[in-house]
Amino acid sequence: MWYAIEGHDGPGVLERRLGARTAHLARLTALRDEGRLLLAGPCPAIDAEDPGPAGFSGSIVIAEFESLEAARAWADADPYIEAGVYQRVDVRPFKPVLP
């Protein structure tokens, strides 16, 4: 089943986010290579493609896992958690409809 994972950045964490980005992307690349990633990306904190020092408000990942518990375990192991980027992570089932 598909799951939506939404990480919410804490205040002033842009430098920590940038420091953990390589490890974060490696995990997403592994999901993609396994055919389990539908989409992933950050949410700019302002209405701009490149938010600059405003940074990001969080990230969204939609990926396939065998269970909600497996999706939560994967999310809990994200390098952004360890780096203190995310102040909260929501994980919930997702049903793709379109396109």
Side-chain angles (χ1 to χ4, degrees), residues 39-92:
L39 66 87
C43 301
I46 61 173
D47 189 13
E49 185 75 22
D50 178 359
F56 300 90
S57 62
S59 303
I60 297 172
V61 175
I62 299 179
E64 190 174 32
F65 295 92
E66 56 192 52
S67 67
L68 180 58
E69 293 76 23
R72 283 186 178 140
W74 186 89
D76 288 345
D78 194 295
Y80 283 172
I81 296 281
E82 184 178 330
V85 174
Y86 292 154
Q87 67 179 5
R88 184 178 100 239
V89 177
D90 299 322
V91 181
R92 57 192 177 277

Side-chain angles (χ1 to χ4, degrees), residues 32-49:
R32 183 202 62 200
D33 293 349
E34 295 167 8
R36 298 172 43 210
L37 183 65
L38 185 63
L39 66 87
C43 301
I46 61 173
D47 189 13
E49 185 75 22

